[in-house]
Amino acid sequence: MKEQYQREIAQIHVPTELLKKTKQAMQAEESRLRQSNVQSKVHSFRTLTLAAAAVLLVLLVYPAATSFFKGENKEEMQTPQRQGVQAQEMQQEQVQESQIQALQIQLAGQTQPEIAPIAKGEAVLTEETAAEMPEAFATGEECEINGVKALIVADEATGYYQAYLQEAESGLLVTSKITDKEEFLRELQNR
Amino acid sequence: MKEENVRITPEEVIDRYADMVYRLALLQVKNRTDADDIFQEVFVRLVKHIHKLQDWEHVKAWLIRVTTNCSKKHFTRYWNKNVSLLEDAESIREEAWVEDAGYEAAENGEILFRAVKKLPEKYRVAIHLFYFEELSVAQIAAATGQKESTVKSQLHRAREMLKTLLEGEIIL
């Protein structure tokens, strides 16, 4: 039975015309599928491009907008009412900075730097009232400074010049760290 | 035997299985016009699903299943639209089937062929796949989406019916 059935059914074949038409339909379907795939890819690419463009726009616009509004705030701060506030803020910032520096120095185990030496011409002469003339001026050189009688002497140990001015009621002792007589007299006259 | 797993193209499939699909469709719907429609539908569907089919065995099983389903769907559509004309149409289609298929059976062959054709649809498919496509019961069950026991039962009943139809002319 099997062989007989096979012999019979094996004589049935697909008509050539149907085969041709079906192959054409398959090719059309293939190209349609390919096209729809391409379109979906293009569509997804477009979506991606739009999303990227939107992100880029936000990235560009946001900083610009932020700086614009900050600029407006700055202009507001320029009004007289705001200037005081601004100055206070600056002072606070300076204080904070100095505190931070001090802390940094402490943390680094460093000591505060020594105060710079006094600049030339500043506090060169030191004055103090003297009720009586010190003995050292007994051998001093007499001279007149701006109409006031003065005795000038150089310290034996240091070489610094000193002066004793005999003013009206009490004497005035002027010491210095100047070793040059001419310079000392000049400073004394400019006192 | 499992064949090598290579990329299968729709053109290769139609060249290899065109006759199988056509015969199966013809066996189920019994007329050439409907078989033509089913044939085209099956291979157009194949284009969409070819990337899912891993090997030739898988392709064959897929084609059998889709052809069977398309035939059933076609028959249902036909029944719904033309129920009043069914009896007339059935007789016309049966006559046209053999001629349209280009089949000129020999006297002995025609007896068996006509007997198979008179079986109920599910028995026809089981007999055809078992005897002509030489599928095992398990393969028929997988291809038609039925249990193996159901396929065995269908084959048994189909043989019994053929015995009766042929009145002992052919030894099964």
Side-chain angles (χ1 to χ4, degrees), chain A residues 155-166:
Chain A
D155 185 58
E156 288 180 2
T158 60
Y160 293 149
Y161 272 92
Q162 298 175 346
Y164 180 74
L165 303 177
Q166 294 177 330

Side-chain angles (χ1 to χ4, degrees), chain B residues 52-67:
Chain B
K52 296 177 189 170
L53 306 173
Q54 306 297 323
D55 51 55
W56 286 108
E57 199 178 318
H58 195 187
V59 170
K60 189 175 180 180
W62 187 89
L63 287 171
I64 291 168
R65 185 159 198 160
V66 172
T67 307

Side-chain angles (χ1 to χ4, degrees), chain A residues 110-165:
Chain A
Q110 292 175 352
T111 54
Q112 289 278 357
E114 287 182 6
I115 297 166
I118 297 164
K120 193 176 179 182
E122 187 180 343
V124 173
L125 305 176
T126 308
E127 297 176 3
E128 60 177 276
T129 306
E132 293 178 2
M133 184 184 72
E135 287 181 7
F137 289 93
T139 56
E141 183 185 346
E142 286 187 6
C143 61
E144 193 173 321
I145 305 297
N146 298 332
V148 178
K149 191 180 176 182
L151 290 167
I152 296 168
V153 70
D155 185 58
E156 288 180 2
T158 60
Y160 293 149
Y161 272 92
Q162 298 175 346
Y164 180 74
L165 303 177

Side-chain angles (χ1 to χ4, degrees), chain B residues 128-142:
Chain B
H128 177 79
L129 294 178
F130 188 78
Y131 285 114
F132 186 74
E133 297 297 340
E134 296 184 321
L135 298 186
S136 66
V137 171
Q139 285 172 322
I140 295 169

Side-chain angles (χ1 to χ4, degrees), chain A residues 1 4 8-9 12 23 29, chain B residues 23 48 109 113 132 172:
Chain A
M1 178 187 170
Q4 190 176 339
E8 289 174 18
I9 206 88
I12 300 173
K23 282 185 176 179
E29 182 67 13
Chain B
R23 285 164 190 157
K48 290 179 191 170
F113 190 71
F132 186 74
L172 295 171

Side-chain angles (χ1 to χ4, degrees), chain A residues 1-2 4-15 17-19 21-23 25-27 29-30 32-33, chain B residues 10-11 14-15 18-19 22-23 32 36 39-40 43 47-48 103-104 108-109 112-113 128 131-132 134 162 172:
Chain A
M1 178 187 170
K2 184 180 172 181
Q4 190 176 339
Y5 183 75
Q6 282 181 340
R7 269 201 310 274
E8 289 174 18
I9 206 88
Q11 294 179 54
I12 300 173
H13 296 288
V14 184
E17 189 64 24
L18 175 64
L19 198 62
K21 280 182 183 173
T22 308
K23 282 185 176 179
M26 287 167 75
Q27 284 173 354
E29 182 67 13
E30 266 185 310
R32 195 189 64 79
L33 281 174
Chain B
E11 288 73 25
I14 196 168
D15 288 342
D19 284 342
Y22 189 69
R23 285 164 190 157
R32 181 183 165 175
D36 286 2
F39 181 82
Q40 282 204 346
F43 282 103
V47 174
K48 290 179 191 170
Y103 170 64
E104 292 175 3
N108 289 338
L112 181 59
F113 190 71
H128 177 79
Y131 285 114
F132 186 74
E134 296 184 321
L162 280 173
L172 295 171

